[in-house]
Amino acid sequence: MRGAVAASAPRERALALAAVPAAATIAAVALLLKLVYRPTHLNYDTRYALLWAQDLWSGHTPEYRADFAPTPHPLQTALSSLALPLGDHADRAITWAALLFFGAVVYLVHRLGAELFSPAAGVVAALVALTRPVLERDALLAYQDVAFAALILGAVLLEARRPRRGAPVLGVLAVAGLLRPEAWVLSGLYWLSLWPAAGTHRRRAALAAIVAVAPLLWALSDWLVTGDALHSLHGTAELAEAADRRRRLDQVPYWTAQYFGNVLREPLVLGVPIGLLFAYHHARRRAILPLAVALAMTAVFAIGPIFGLPLIGRYLRTPAMLLALFYGLAVCGWALLPPGKPRRRWLAAGVLAAALSVAFIPKQIDMLQNLHARLSRDGKVYADLHAVAEAPAVRAAFARCAPLSSADHRPIPHLRYWLDGAPGSVGTVRADASPLGRLLLVPRATRLAKGLYKANFPRDVRPPADYRQVYENRSWRLWAAPGCA
């Protein structure tokens, strides 16, 4: 017994030491983004998850059918419950969690590149992940897609380290499947790949049970809240139609290329094909896993319009990060070859691929500065919205005369959360989604508010003649019906 304990001590010490670089990288990346950008507000979907968690703990049924409500993600709502006891600091806790998940994405991209190709290729791919403006934006606004990407990359890394590992990979994919349904497809395909090696029908059935966990829990959650086990599918399709989002099959080729380009940008659009070509000639077996996962996730995105689902750029973030591995291979793959003419040719190709990124640095800096300016501008508008909810006159009017109508759907979850409103107490008159309430919130036509709304600024919403203004700040005005002020 003592011998077993003594033998396990060095192993535990080695595992602890191995975790230090991971923890340090994750924390450093999160802290860097926090210090540089100082994020101030949650995105629409994440605020709704926090609101639905608040509904549950307040004894209400979450309002999945609210005006322009997003798709509910069971794990995101469950995790949001952990932040609720923090009160006013809940937003900050959720933002920190997203930043840490982004740090995990950067670290996992590095480890995956190192495992499949070389440490240098992993470093290059990690630098790509760290410096993509759209990925940073997702983390700073606390989108659930960041945690989803980390889980998918973690599952791929587990499989890369020990092929056909089985249950551990499926377990990670099951957790990811409570954030996005693409993981269901990956789980099913992986289960099929395990069929020959599974051995017995009993083991295959056990693995199939893990595959089924996420879709069954998601369907159960939808059914308990709405009575429709497929509410997420139906609701997402209805929202895509109401919001006039892209959802036609003939739009798939263009927007697939566009969204990949938005993530990877010009140097990688040109460099990734070089890496793919190198992989075909010199690292075919090692390249199959990340390429297969990226293709499967892209295929799920492409067939979405068949079910009425929208084409949204965030759905391709994870496959884009898997393709970034091939940019690392384009830059550093030559080092895997023995001295000779092919090595010199691939060295030249690697120098070219790296030079593309160097030449793009001024544009990259400009894009990151624009991201900072946009987050700062939008943060001021949301701070003004918070000030609306905290104003005594507004809270008194809301307590007396709810429901409150917004000119647009964007303020709905934020206002209802900050006002502690019950389901149905905040809606929008946009597209006649709900009748006009006795309170009406409209954005002011200022540079700040117009910047948030862009081309969708609600110019045609006006209060009735007998409504009077009860509150105003630099971004918002609140009007109330007679007897509400």
Side-chain angles (χ1 to χ4, degrees), residues 241-303:
E241 182 177 3
D244 195 25
R245 288 175 174 165
R246 306 176 187 99
R247 56 192 188 95
R248 299 199 320 266
L249 277 173
D250 63 343
Q251 295 174 309
V252 168
Y254 174 81
W255 285 105
T256 300
Q258 183 71 25
Y259 288 147
F260 272 127
N262 287 345
V263 180
L264 300 174
R265 306 309 306 183
E266 291 83 341
L268 271 73
V269 169
L270 298 172
V272 166
I274 298 175
L276 290 170
L277 187 61
F278 180 93
Y280 178 78
H281 287 288
H282 302 291
R284 197 175 307 174
R285 177 175 291 183
R286 286 175 282 177
I288 288 175
L289 176 61
L291 188 58
V293 174
L295 289 174
M297 298 185 75
T298 305
V300 175
F301 169 84
I303 66 174

Side-chain angles (χ1 to χ4, degrees), residues 72-354:
H73 302 87
L75 182 59
Q76 187 184 23
T77 303
L79 293 177
S80 295
S81 298
L82 302 178
L84 283 177
L86 300 175
D88 293 340
H89 299 290
D91 289 21
R92 193 175 303 172
I94 290 174
T95 300
W96 268 113
L99 295 178
L100 290 169
F101 274 119
F102 180 68
V105 167
V106 173
Y107 178 77
L108 289 167
V109 167
H110 165 251
R111 290 308 312 149
L112 192 53
E115 188 72 32
L116 292 171
F117 305 127
S118 71
V123 169
V124 171
L127 287 173
V128 167
L130 177 62
T131 56
R132 299 307 91 182
V134 292
L135 298 181
E136 291 186 357
R137 175 184 173 273
D138 287 353
L140 292 161
L141 296 179
Y143 277 101
Q144 81 277 354
D145 304 79
V146 182
F148 174 75
L151 289 166
I152 296 299
L153 291 169
V156 175
L157 180 59
L158 285 175
E159 179 65 13
R161 285 178 169 171
R162 191 200 304 170
R164 296 184 178 175
R165 185 178 290 227
V169 175
L170 287 174
V172 175
L173 290 176
V175 177
L178 295 173
L179 288 173
R180 290 215 51 80
E182 293 95 316
W184 308 349
V185 176
L186 294 179
S187 293
L189 293 174
Y190 183 60
W191 178 76
L192 289 175
S193 74
L194 294 173
W195 184 276
T200 66
H201 290 303
R202 182 174 182 178
R203 175 163 170 75
R204 290 168 185 152
L207 295 175
I210 302 176
V211 173
V213 165
L216 288 178
L217 285 179
W218 198 310
L220 178 62
S221 171
D222 279 359
W223 179 74
L224 289 174
V225 173
T226 68
D228 177 10
L230 298 178
H231 165 76
S232 292
L233 174 62
H234 300 152
T236 302
E238 291 167 5
L239 177 60
E241 182 177 3
D244 195 25
R245 288 175 174 165
R246 306 176 187 99
R247 56 192 188 95
R248 299 199 320 266
L249 277 173
D250 63 343
Q251 295 174 309
V252 168
Y254 174 81
W255 285 105
T256 300
Q258 183 71 25
Y259 288 147
F260 272 127
N262 287 345
V263 180
L264 300 174
R265 306 309 306 183
E266 291 83 341
L268 271 73
V269 169
L270 298 172
V272 166
I274 298 175
L276 290 170
L277 187 61
F278 180 93
Y280 178 78
H281 287 288
H282 302 291
R284 197 175 307 174
R285 177 175 291 183
R286 286 175 282 177
I288 288 175
L289 176 61
L291 188 58
V293 174
L295 289 174
M297 298 185 75
T298 305
V300 175
F301 169 84
I303 66 174
I306 295 175
F307 304 97
L309 301 179
L311 301 171
I312 295 177
R314 286 184 287 108
Y315 299 171
L316 291 179
R317 304 286 203 253
T318 305
M321 284 301 91
L322 291 168
L323 291 182
L325 296 170
F326 293 95
Y327 180 73
L329 189 60
V331 174
C332 304
W334 60 271
L336 300 176
L337 303 177
K341 191 173 183 180
R343 179 181 171 122
R344 291 194 295 273
R345 289 176 178 173
W346 287 111
L347 172 59
V351 170
L352 173 62

Side-chain angles (χ1 to χ4, degrees), residues 4 11 100 104 127 166 176 215 251 338 372 420 424 466 477:
R11 191 183 311 118
L100 290 169
L127 287 173
Q251 295 174 309
H372 188 284
D420 296 317
D466 59 345
R477 287 192 177 103

